[in-house]
Each structure stands twice: as C-alpha cells, then as structure tokens.
Amino acid sequence: MEEELKALTEQLYEYNERLLAIAQRARARNQEPDFFAEVKPFAEEVQAAAERWKAAAFRWIRQAQPKYVHERQIEAAVDQMAKLSVEAFYPSVPGRRIKQYSQSVAYTLVLVRERLGETS
C-alpha cells in the first residue's frame, strides 16, 4: 500500500512541475489552446492519477494515522490539481493563482512523502 502511495505521490509531483512549465509556455505563446486536443486529454490523465492517489492516501491515513496529514488536505490537493491541470494551459489565468495552487499541492505532496518515510 505504501509503495503504491509513494509512486503516485512522485507521479503527482512530476505532474505539478510539468504544469508549471506548461503555464510558462502558455504565457510565452499567449494564445488559447485547443481544448479537446491539448487540455482535455492531459487534464483527464492528471485527474485519474490524482484520484488513484487520493484513494491510496485515504487508506494510508486510516491505517497509519500520520501526524498532520488529514483527508481534507488530500481532498484539497486533488481539487487544486484538477483546476491547475486545466488553467495552466490558458495565458489569461493569473500567474499568481497558478503559483499558489502549485505551491499548495507541492506542500501536501512533500508532507505525504515525509510522513511515508517516517512510517516505513
């Protein structure tokens, strides 16, 4: 269970980094993306991984009861990841919002990674 959660946490961390790069490219390009060709497939891929991560994290939280990691945090990170996976493609979305979502998601992912290290 913990190995699956570790792998999914790393995968989401990589997605988070890629989304920051996508947001930077979108700003530089300054044109609206093709929603069905670019945005939707990537957003669905990220959302599927986030949902798998959420299920694994919930199981882990209920079993290991790690300090300072709660289901609400996991839920918030998944919601922010879903928003980020769409909004990063649009240059009209404020960079500050992208950065806030990304930092919030990264904080939760790093916290889960640290707590997993303590329980293994």
Side-chain angles (χ1 to χ4, degrees), residues 46-60:
V46 170
Q47 188 63 30
E51 289 298 326
R52 286 193 313 274
W53 177 75
K54 179 171 96 170
F58 279 13
R59 285 192 306 272
W60 172 67

Side-chain angles (χ1 to χ4, degrees), residues 58-117:
F58 279 13
R59 285 192 306 272
W60 172 67
I61 288 169
R62 291 178 187 134
Q63 182 185 14
Q65 298 180 346
K67 282 187 175 182
Y68 313 116
V69 180
H70 306 284
E71 289 182 4
R72 264 191 245 134
Q73 285 172 290
I74 302 299
E75 198 74 62
V78 169
D79 290 345
Q80 290 166 339
M81 200 75 178
K83 291 175 187 170
L84 188 60
S85 67
V86 173
E87 292 181 0
F89 286 89
Y90 292 90
S92 58
V93 175
R96 197 170 114 237
R97 180 161 68 192
I98 298 290
K99 188 175 179 184
Q100 286 172 340
Y101 283 160
S102 179
Q103 286 175 340
S104 178
V105 167
Y107 174 81
T108 302
L109 293 171
V110 168
L111 183 63
V112 168
R113 186 190 304 157
E114 288 173 358
R115 295 298 178 256
L116 275 168

